[in-house]
Amino acid sequence: MIKMSQLVLKSLSILLGIFFIFVGVIKVTSYVNKDLHKDMRKEFVKYAKVFPLAQTLSFRIPSKWYRRSVGGLEILCGSLLAFFPNAQVKRGSNFILFILTVLSVYSHFMVDEKFERTAPALVFFFMLSCRLVVEFQHERKLLKRLSASNADENALLENDTSNKLPDKVD
């Protein structure tokens, strides 16, 4: 069972990481597709206007820097999620991407876009959520097995030491 969860976890990590690298590159540069990059630039002008902290902190974020920072974070976190072997780093990257997708869904909702435009963000929101759930379940099973094996070792050590204790002599 642990091997199955490891396979699911690795598959989700690699696929989600590659997807976010791709999307981040589209947001940062026109190298992949000029039309998609141009569309992203137009969309982020709208998204910058509804940025959640803009009204609270009374500042306006430039759409160019908003797009570049989101794209850069997607490239960085996607790379870490797909290729970095440390589980804590992957969890952190997953959490940052999770927050970015929540922000994306919020932005789509606030600018009254059709569901077709919001659906991909929702799909990847749920996929990132599933990855976190699988990771927590996998970790819980590992800890459970580890504690069970430690309990068995402790019981064996107690039995072994009780047999070796000398009897009290009066």
Side-chain angles (χ1 to χ4, degrees):
M1 187 66 177
I2 287 181
K3 291 188 179 193
M4 181 62 77
S5 62
Q6 279 179 324
L7 178 67
V8 170
L9 200 55
K10 285 187 182 198
S11 300
L12 277 172
S13 296
I14 291 170
L15 293 173
L16 284 168
I18 290 171
F19 169 78
F20 280 105
I21 291 168
F22 176 72
V23 171
V25 167
I26 288 173
K27 288 176 183 166
V28 172
T29 182
S30 63
Y31 183 72
V32 175
N33 189 326
K34 289 180 183 181
D35 293 333
L36 279 175
H37 178 70
K38 189 175 181 180
D39 185 47
M40 286 286 182
R41 287 172 56 187
K42 288 179 186 176
E43 294 299 317
F44 267 87
V45 170
K46 293 188 281 186
Y47 301 154
K49 291 177 184 173
V50 295
F51 185 70
L53 297 175
Q55 291 178 343
T56 307
L57 301 174
S58 66
F59 78 97
R60 187 171 177 266
I61 185 168
S63 62
K64 180 179 184 179
W65 290 105
Y66 182 40
R67 177 180 45 84
R68 286 181 178 179
S69 59
V70 168
L73 278 171
E74 287 176 346
I75 293 168
L76 175 67
C77 293
S79 299
L80 292 174
L81 191 63
F83 306 117
F84 201 77
N86 189 319
Q88 290 177 334
V89 172
K90 285 181 182 276
R91 190 177 303 128
S93 297
N94 196 129
F95 184 72
I96 292 170
L97 291 170
F98 180 82
I99 296 299
L100 288 175
T101 56
V102 168
L103 184 62
S104 176
V105 170
Y106 171 81
S107 297
H108 287 294
F109 177 74
M110 291 304 288
V111 297
D112 284 332
E113 288 189 331
K114 293 181 180 178
F115 182 73
E116 293 85 24
R117 297 281 298 187
T118 309
L122 286 170
V123 168
F124 286 99
F125 166 80
F126 288 120
M127 287 180 72
L128 287 165
S129 302
C130 288
R131 191 202 168 280
L132 279 175
V133 168
V134 169
E135 183 178 20
F136 288 136
Q137 287 178 344
H138 176 70
E139 189 173 299
R140 192 178 78 208
K141 286 179 186 178
L142 286 176
L143 289 174
K144 199 174 195 179
R145 282 189 176 182
L146 185 61
S147 65
S149 67
N150 284 342
D152 291 343
E153 286 179 16
N154 289 340
L156 288 174
L157 286 175
E158 287 177 12
N159 288 337
D160 195 33
T161 55
S162 64
N163 292 338
K164 291 183 182 179
L165 290 176
D167 294 332
K168 285 188 175 180
V169 178
D170 290 323

